[in-house]
Amino acid sequence: MKKWILLFVLALGLLAPAGAWAGDLRDEEWPDEIRTGDFYYLGLGGQYAFDNFNIDDPYDLDYNTDNTFGAYLQAGYRYNKYLAAEFNFHWLPDFKVAGDTPSWKTSQYLELESSVNMYMLVAKLSPGLDSEVWKPYFIAGGGWAYGNHNLFASQVAQNTSKEQEGDWFTSSNSGGAAQAGLGVILFPGNQFSVQMESCYFWGFGDVDMVRYGNISIGLSFPL
């Protein structure tokens, strides 16, 4: 968990120059409604996810993990300058986990390719330390996770032609999930805002293995 706290700190450390950029773009007669008012909004953006899958492996394989790019959509309502409620959908298509056990006389190689969809209801709470060009906030929420998994199993080491020596197995599962993190909204104008977030996601029950952190950036449009 310490590395994810460090990730949050590093991500937020990049926000000071972003706030200066938003201040440079802001119109002289920029209204306060998008920063303090109540309104519905829609948003979209991209993200980069850092795999931290919780794999319960009886074979003690030495795993290598690959991160993935993804996207998100959001629809929300801002009640006031301190609180917003939001539904968001996260699409992460290409997590990969691979492992090899060379200590065996006949090594077994496993490769897992997973796509993950997250459907989340979240609250975004601002401490009120905002300015005319930026607003920090905390993120907490829960929802549903869906995972589709393709598993390759082979009785040979990774450096052998595994395509001819093993088999693919497909499975899917779903279950509850939670999200927590930090973010900041930048206000470069009165037609949209820029959101930068760093969050950690984890599943429960049948999707307990699905755990990852992310950094995202996107645009939000008031309605």
Side-chain angles (χ1 to χ4, degrees):
M1 186 60 69
K2 290 182 178 179
K3 67 178 181 179
W4 301 116
I5 295 175
L6 178 60
L7 176 63
F8 294 154
V9 173
L10 292 176
L12 293 180
L14 300 175
L15 299 180
W21 165 79
D24 291 340
L25 291 181
R26 183 172 60 88
D27 295 334
E28 289 298 325
E29 298 180 356
W30 182 79
D32 284 339
E33 281 78 6
I34 193 173
R35 184 172 64 88
T36 61
D38 57 308
F39 54 85
Y40 292 95
Y41 62 90
L42 298 174
L44 74 168
Q47 61 181 306
Y48 187 72
F50 301 86
D51 176 9
N52 191 38
F53 277 26
N54 178 37
I55 298 177
D56 183 13
D57 174 34
Y59 304 111
D60 193 26
L61 296 183
D62 182 18
Y63 285 104
N64 296 312
T65 62
D66 290 336
N67 304 321
T68 186
F69 287 96
Y72 72 85
L73 299 173
Q74 61 184 201
Y77 180 73
R78 176 161 296 283
Y79 294 93
N80 50 50
K81 66 180 295 184
Y82 302 106
L83 174 65
E86 180 181 295
F87 169 80
N88 56 53
F89 167 71
H90 295 261
W91 174 67
L92 297 159
D94 200 21
F95 282 117
K96 290 185 179 180
V97 182
D100 199 24
T101 306
S103 61
W104 290 5
K105 186 174 182 180
T106 302
S107 298
Q108 178 165 331
Y109 173 79
L110 296 178
E111 181 174 303
L112 177 68
E113 298 178 352
S114 296
S115 62
V116 175
N117 294 335
M118 289 280 189
Y119 305 85
M120 308 295 291
L121 287 174
V122 301
K124 295 187 174 181
L125 306 172
S126 174
L129 303 176
D130 57 333
S131 72
E132 291 186 345
V133 296
W134 70 289
K135 177 194 295 290
Y137 55 90
F138 301 98
I139 305 164
W144 198 254
Y146 175 81
N148 185 63
H149 314 291
N150 293 312
L151 175 67
F152 178 85
S154 173
Q155 290 297 322
V156 297
Q158 183 176 1
N159 59 3
T160 305
S161 180
K162 59 181 184 294
E163 289 81 2
Q164 300 177 3
E165 300 289 344
D167 296 293
W168 284 98
F169 304 91
T170 299
S171 65
S172 61
N173 51 18
S174 60
Q179 171 186 358
L182 302 172
V184 66
I185 305 175
L186 307 175
F187 306 108
N190 62 357
Q191 301 300 319
F192 69 95
S193 60
V194 179
Q195 294 186 132
M196 301 174 66
E197 296 180 354
S198 182
C199 293
Y200 189 77
F201 297 78
W202 62 98
F204 305 99
D206 290 342
V207 288
D208 178 67
M209 67 175 294
V210 177
R211 301 183 184 186
Y212 64 92
N214 80 336
I215 294 177
S216 65
I217 183 170
L219 300 178
S220 178
F221 303 91
L223 300 179

